[in-house]
Amino acid sequence: MALTLRSCSSTSFINLKDTTKSLRNNDDLPCALSFPNRKPSSHHLRPSMKLYSHEVQATHARTRQEKLHALPHPHVSNDMKVPVFVMLPLDTVTLGGNLNKPRAMNASLMALRSAGVEGVMVDVWWGLVEKDGPTEYNWEGYAELIKMVARHGLKLQMVMSFHQCGGNVGDSCSIPLPPWVLEEMSKNPDLVYTDRSGRRNPEYISLGCDTLPVLRGRTPIQVYTDYMRSFRNRFADYLGTVIAEIQVGMGLCGELRYPAYPESNGTWRFPGIGEFQCYDKYMRASLQASAEEIGQEDWGSGPHDSGHYNQFPEETGFFRRDGAWNTEYGQFFLEWYSSKLVEHGDRILAAASGIFQGTGAKLSGKVAGIHWHYRTRSHAAELTAGYYNTRYRDGYIPIARMMRRYGVVLNFTCIEMKDVEQNGSAGCSPQGLVQQVKMAAQTVGTELAGENALERYDPGAFAQVLATSRSGPGNGLSSFTYLRMNKRLFEGDNWRNLVEFVKSMSHGGGARVSEMDSGRTDLYVGFVKKKTLAKENDLALV
């Protein structure tokens, strides 16, 4: 039985060895960094594809000279501010439940605070917190992080990560689901998503058993609910102040989707269409029952001609231009498949809303930016992931409407991508997709936030985010979360670009970062002394 894995992206942060001596006496002051005087702000309230195409790399040389402040933003008012958060490393909390390299983290947070970011995002891994047994929670590593973030006057977006970490391009750590959950999976393999050939994916529990007591007497929804309730009780004093947002994981990589494009072991490669994930016994039973309900018993086995992970739409009978996706049968199946996903999100967000209501913390949920084959009629890659979005149907309005019901922010990825950077043969259009999702959010009245899907440090990517976040009154982003804090982020040009980007997001694109910084007031990365850097062998945790 083949296992497929997928999760998030790479990790690391500043590790200044020369500061060790000073930090023994003062853990808050890394001696190699100089920052402008700044009072901490009050702690009041202010989540996809991670593959890098060769076309993106080629554009970096062309965009190196782009300037964020060159974008036109006339008559920008203060209400245009878009707060910027930065994702922390995946292994911010260790497998032992402790904060990973706290001195290095302290120095990194100090740098981010001086750059003007609003706060940071961290995964709160189910596999770490509840690993010792059902309802046995260890929050101590996260408690230490929250206190440190508070000392720096920053805010936190905390992700309830009910998925596995590991297996994705760039991953440098592995955090499986809790051992007692994996034990139940080994006894009942149908607890996980399964493709037509029987390949299982252990990264997340199948939504087919959401309401069944398959986890030692509790349903998966009950387990997630108990986990979030324990989190709320442990950190009640910080919710709505330091903890500004709770992002609720609803699938692989925390995204509301099926694992249609697993990357490990070469199972899937960009820009393949992926495969449907509805062949565990619970999902099969639901499909069969739905087919029988409308008197079409032979529709209960799933598409037989939808192809394989790495095919293109026109190579299949189901997804080709005039394929079965647009027949009565195809519409029945896709409606069932997508509605099951929306129902799964509804169950989890309903639970989260009940738990965090009145705490002052926002709730958010993440949707994946599946932009390949977007220009085709069937949108095959979106369909296999559970988004019933075609040339003739908007698949994001039902998701946005479901999130709006609970006041949940819709967090969307691939905000930094441009169409011209993409593989021309794959029908990619990240800009078209982002625009569609923005319109869906605006139509139903739900708040929209964004993330970059790939690690990008170039001005062109930051300029694209800035343009997207400000386009159209009432149609911008409420916040942006940058992926991810690591060694490269703190390097010269990369750091300058980030600082200029944060200032632009805060001041309508009018702020500039000085080319020189002799006074160390414009946050130029020269505040990291060359003499100190020369002594460093590793400037990063990982």
Side-chain angles (χ1 to χ4, degrees), residues 107-172:
S108 299
L109 292 178
M110 184 177 292
L112 291 175
R113 172 59 178 159
S114 294
V117 304
E118 184 84 356
V120 292
M121 172 182 276
V122 66
D123 288 281
V124 184
W125 296 108
W126 181 29
L128 296 182
V129 173
E130 200 177 354
K131 71 174 186 177
D132 293 333
T135 70
E136 295 182 30
Y137 307 108
N138 178 8
W139 301 108
E140 298 316 303
Y142 293 102
E144 187 176 355
L145 174 66
I146 290 169
K147 293 175 182 177
M148 184 180 292
V149 168
R151 288 200 300 270
H152 287 288
L154 294 168
K155 297 176 183 177
L156 267 166
Q157 297 171 321
M158 304 193 77
V159 186
M160 302 292 101
S161 296
F162 299 115
H163 61 285
Q164 170 185 287
C165 172
N168 191 20
V169 174
D171 276 359
S172 59

Side-chain angles (χ1 to χ4, degrees), residues 278-302 329 332-333 336-337 340:
C278 56
Y279 296 97
D280 62 78
K281 68 181 181 182
Y282 304 108
M283 292 290 281
R284 290 201 315 269
S286 173
L287 177 58
Q288 186 63 49
S290 296
E292 292 175 357
E293 186 176 345
I294 63 170
Q296 298 285 355
E297 294 186 16
D298 55 338
W299 287 4
S301 59
Y329 164 71
F332 157 77
F333 173 78
W336 170 83
Y337 190 68
K340 295 292 290 184

